[in-house]
Amino acid sequence: MLKRQFLARLVALGVSAFVSVHAPAQAQTQTPDALVKQVSGEVIDTVKADKSLQTGDVSKIMALVDAKVMPHVNFERMTAAAVGRYWRQATPEQQQKLMAEFKTLLVRTYSGALREVKDQVVEVRPMRSRPEDTEVIVRTEVKGSGQPIQLDYRLEKRAQGWKIYDVNVLGIWLVENYRNSFAREISAGGIDGLIAKMTERNKSAASKS
């Protein structure tokens, strides 16, 4: 349990690093590693300057995600990959519910990690890619007073610019981690069962916040 909470906090630092104060159109002119470096620095500065974000204010974090994070994430692909082969079996309405509950689950699960943001800086490691590549991995390290945290990002090139669709923390990809647990829920109760479980978890977390 403690390991899971620790990893959740680390992943949150990666998820929160999607934030940008620039419009999506500007991201089109950036290389993926430059985008990650800019965005990572800006989100840390934003959290340091806002005490409500540091305390894990879920409503404020959700507003931040909607306004700043989502323009840089292909969240449909992220959710589809987490649901796995069952995604194609879901109706359009079920897919929308899955995306909504998954987003809320991520924000609520990882909001506590923002309390850990203090003196961190992000270093982007040299990236190996070709100009024609449409999918890349950007590797970074989050450095502060403790041990460096490895955070890697999978990005795809879209018409609107580079989009993040997965995050790796210490060798664990977020999508793969959720795919395993989601598969168990779907096997037990179908797609509606997974939606119900996520909704239940989100409501439970909301009542405790």
Side-chain angles (χ1 to χ4, degrees):
M1 185 65 180
L2 289 176
K3 183 178 180 182
R4 181 176 296 180
Q5 292 175 344
F6 175 68
L7 288 175
R9 290 180 178 179
L10 296 185
V11 171
L13 291 173
V15 172
S16 64
F18 297 166
V19 179
S20 175
V21 297
H22 293 277
Q26 289 178 297
Q28 292 180 334
T29 62
Q30 290 182 296
T31 60
D33 52 342
L35 176 64
V36 168
K37 182 175 182 178
Q38 170 195 306
V39 164
S40 300
E42 288 172 349
V43 69
I44 289 177
D45 290 342
T46 300
V47 174
K48 287 178 181 177
D50 193 324
K51 293 190 179 299
S52 61
L53 289 173
Q54 295 170 22
T55 59
D57 184 325
V58 174
S59 61
K60 192 152 188 177
I61 294 170
M62 187 69 78
L64 185 64
V65 168
D66 287 335
K68 304 295 185 180
V69 176
M70 287 303 162
H72 300 287
V73 180
N74 183 346
F75 198 70
E76 180 173 347
R77 176 171 179 175
M78 181 180 286
T79 308
V83 175
R85 61 188 176 89
Y86 302 101
W87 178 257
R88 293 184 179 181
Q89 301 174 19
T91 66
E93 182 181 4
Q94 287 174 322
Q95 290 177 351
Q96 290 301 313
K97 288 181 179 178
L98 285 167
M99 286 193 290
E101 295 299 335
F102 189 36
K103 183 178 76 171
T104 302
L105 178 65
L106 289 176
V107 171
R108 288 198 176 279
T109 300
Y110 302 138
S111 59
L114 296 182
R115 300 188 186 112
E116 307 298 322
V117 175
K118 294 182 178 67
D119 60 346
Q120 288 89 347
V121 295
V122 177
E123 291 189 6
V124 178
R125 299 171 63 184
M127 189 179 71
R128 297 178 180 178
S129 66
R130 298 167 298 179
E132 63 270 24
D133 286 343
T134 57
E135 296 204 3
V136 298
I137 295 178
V138 176
R139 305 185 187 280
T140 76
E141 281 189 338
V142 180
K143 295 185 176 181
S145 55
Q147 290 293 319
I149 300 169
Q150 174 192 340
L151 285 175
D152 301 336
Y153 302 85
R154 280 184 173 141
L155 297 93
E156 63 173 352
K157 193 172 187 179
R158 307 275 290 183
Q160 304 88 352
W162 288 96
K163 302 287 184 180
I164 298 168
Y165 66 91
D166 204 356
V167 182
N168 182 305
V169 182
L170 300 178
I172 298 177
W173 288 102
L174 179 149
V175 164
E176 181 180 350
N177 188 49
Y178 274 103
R179 184 187 298 128
N180 295 332
S181 63
F182 285 178
R184 290 192 294 269
E185 298 288 357
I186 294 173
S187 295
I191 294 170
D192 284 334
L194 173 59
I195 294 172
K197 281 290 185 181
M198 286 196 289
T199 302
E200 180 183 346
R201 290 173 193 165
N202 289 333
K203 287 182 177 178
S204 177
S207 66
K208 295 176 183 178
S209 61

